[in-house]
Amino acid sequence: DAGVIQSPRHEVTEMGQEVTLRCKPISGHNSLFWYRQTMMRGLELLIYFNNNVPIDDSGMPEDRFSAKMPNASFSTLKIQPSEPRDSAVYFCASRDRSTNEKLFFGSGTQLSVL
Amino acid sequence: LAKTTQPISMDSYEGQEVNITCSHNNIATNDYITWYQQFPSQGPRFIIQGYKTKVTNEVASLFIPADRKSSTLSLPRVSLSDTAVYYCLVAPRNSNYQLIWGAGTKLIIKP
């Protein structure tokens, strides 16, 4: 298995632009997480999906952020409009129901909003 | 959810055994202790998990005393490639999703 795949690896955009981050979880995993990592705040959970259904999005900073999981093999995190303070590394992680405690992370998307 | 306390950073040398201790005074009865490793430009990677006493796998050992208020991750004979940030987390085994990630311990291995 190729692991959790995220794209793009790097994204540079200008303030006000729409940004879409993509994630393909490991096949067979039924839980998906979006995290944001910054030096100041560390790893923060943005949203958690179970069986493609958003269970908790209380970590999403504001209405500019939205996430979808249309099927078990794909999820997106969208920021519209983007702001400089959104600059961070965004990670997607998935989890297998049989190894409930183990999260598998992607390599992340480094987002820079100018 | 229990919070953890770890040293911010540690240094060691190649070939040495490294022990990183994590304090979790408020650990609950059904909490497990899990350690992750994160290299630069990568997502965290699961290393080991335990509930009590000792757990060992091909990468590390985890020592948990009887009171479970702390745990020690032991990395035998480290190499330069073990330079990374190590996170200690505590959560119920079947917790849905709420993991508290602290700042972790930045381990630097020197030649």
Side-chain angles (χ1 to χ4, degrees):
Chain A
D1 197 319
V4 176
I5 299 173
Q6 291 187 246
S7 64
R9 281 301 309 271
H10 303 274
E11 177 80 31
V12 180
T13 190
E14 292 186 346
M15 183 173 63
Q17 296 299 305
E18 177 180 295
V19 174
T20 300
L21 311 181
R22 297 173 176 80
C23 175
K24 176 178 168 52
I26 293 173
S27 177
H29 284 193
N30 67 328
S31 297
L32 185 137
F33 305 74
W34 281 99
Y35 281 93
R36 177 172 67 177
Q37 187 173 39
T38 61
M39 289 292 292
M40 291 296 295
R41 300 173 67 90
L43 268 165
E44 302 174 279
L45 177 65
L46 300 177
I47 188 168
Y48 162 67
F49 290 88
N50 190 50
N51 292 324
N52 312 338
V53 176
I55 303 300
D56 186 349
D57 65 354
S58 60
M60 298 285 260
E62 47 199 270
D63 293 344
R64 297 185 298 107
F65 284 68
S66 62
K68 294 182 179 179
M69 192 164 185
N71 56 62
S73 59
F74 185 64
S75 177
T76 59
L77 178 68
K78 186 178 293 186
I79 308 172
Q80 166 62 22
S82 58
E83 296 182 3
R85 61 190 167 127
D86 301 330
S87 298
V89 181
Y90 291 80
F91 288 105
C92 174
S94 68
R95 184 175 67 186
D96 174 13
R97 67 189 70 188
S98 67
T99 58
N100 205 25
E101 73 285 0
K102 188 185 297 187
L103 292 178
F104 293 82
F105 283 79
S107 295
T109 295
Q110 173 77 59
L111 174 63
S112 297
V113 183
L114 308 178
Chain B
L1 293 172
K3 284 187 64 176
T4 61
T5 303
Q6 308 173 231
I8 296 295
S9 64
M10 292 180 66
D11 292 352
S12 188
Y13 292 90
E14 282 190 294
Q16 299 295 306
E17 176 183 84
V18 172
N19 296 310
I20 306 174
T21 297
C22 178
S23 172
H24 27 80
N25 291 318
N26 297 321
I27 190 168
T29 303
N30 57 344
D31 282 343
Y32 278 69
I33 300 152
T34 309
W35 286 79
Y36 283 80
Q37 173 191 55
Q38 185 177 23
F39 297 115
S41 302
Q42 294 186 28
R45 182 182 71 144
F46 174 92
I47 301 177
I48 197 166
Q49 186 190 68
Y51 183 80
K52 61 181 180 180
T53 63
K54 177 183 174 182
V55 179
T56 296
N57 62 22
E58 65 278 5
V59 176
S61 294
L62 179 60
F63 297 92
I64 306 167
D67 66 6
R68 304 200 327 120
K69 294 184 183 299
S70 67
S71 58
T72 299
L73 175 72
S74 181
L75 305 172
R77 300 183 59 80
V78 293
S79 63
L80 296 176
S81 62
D82 291 313
T83 294
V85 178
Y86 292 82
Y87 296 94
C88 166
L89 295 88
V90 294
R93 178 69 182 267
N94 292 313
S95 68
N96 282 330
Y97 56 94
Q98 289 181 334
L99 301 176
I100 298 177
W101 297 79
T105 297
K106 184 169 185 177
L107 175 65
I108 298 174
I109 304 302
K110 303 175 182 178

